[in-house]
Amino acid sequence: MTQEPAVTLGIDPGTASFGFGLIEGDRNPSHIEHGCLTTSAKDPLGIRLASIRDGLIPVFDRYQLTTVAIERLGYSRRMTSAIAVSHAIALVHLVAADRGIPVEEYSPAEIKLAVTGYGASDKLGVQNMVNRILNLTESPQPDHATDALAVALCHIHSRSTRALEKTLDVR
């Protein structure tokens, strides 16, 4: 019996721009799809979240997802932005829970470290490594899609590390 390859959905959450990226496999991950859902700042938060949900559900339904990986809310100078992003994160947890798909969250530093080897990498460094790891000839646009692919790659890397720790019984 052959096991289906893992399909990881990476999410760069936001209510204005909500990036997503899908990767298949563990050892040699391959790019499946990426995109960015956008909403208008003029719309009330509920309408914006509904729009993100309506764009996200077909992605969930199109693929047999193994895991959803999401960028954890980092430091934000603007409280209103942080609250809006936290609503988008909660939305992802809800859609995933409805389908029985586990969600893992990673900090921006964890994502950069996993993808580039340096936890304080700049956007260009992350973008270059995402392209290199996934053998992409062009950078995904917009940047939020690249960030979402980086989140998925971080999860794949951390899953491999956790599996190795279990094998070695590291505590």
Side-chain angles (χ1 to χ4, degrees), residues 44-169:
L45 179 61
I47 298 297
R48 296 173 83 180
L49 291 171
S51 178
I52 292 167
R53 179 205 56 213
D54 293 347
L56 195 55
I57 286 175
V59 175
F60 272 81
D61 292 345
R62 200 168 29 250
Y63 300 99
Q64 298 226 309
L65 301 177
T66 312
T67 309
V68 176
I70 190 164
E71 183 174 342
R72 185 179 301 130
L73 183 60
Y75 173 77
S76 178
R77 289 187 201 149
R78 291 185 49 208
M79 183 60 91
T80 54
S81 295
I83 291 169
V85 171
S86 68
H87 288 307
I89 291 170
L91 173 69
V92 173
H93 278 277
L94 181 61
V95 173
D98 284 346
R99 288 157 178 76
I101 301 168
V103 177
E104 298 287 340
E105 292 188 24
Y106 299 94
S107 71
E110 286 176 298
I111 296 162
K112 292 172 184 178
L113 181 63
V115 174
T116 69
Y118 178 56
S121 291
D122 62 8
K123 278 207 174 279
L124 185 59
V126 172
Q127 187 177 59
N128 288 337
M129 285 306 294
V130 166
N131 292 347
R132 190 170 176 190
I133 293 167
L134 296 175
N135 296 312
L136 300 176
T137 56
E138 294 182 16
S139 295
Q141 293 299 319
D143 290 346
H144 297 288
T146 301
D147 294 345
L149 289 168
V151 175
L153 287 169
C154 173
H155 176 72
I156 290 168
H157 179 265
S158 87
R159 182 172 44 219
S160 300
T161 302
R162 286 192 307 268
L164 180 60
E165 288 173 351
K166 285 180 184 176
T167 304
L168 299 175
D169 196 25

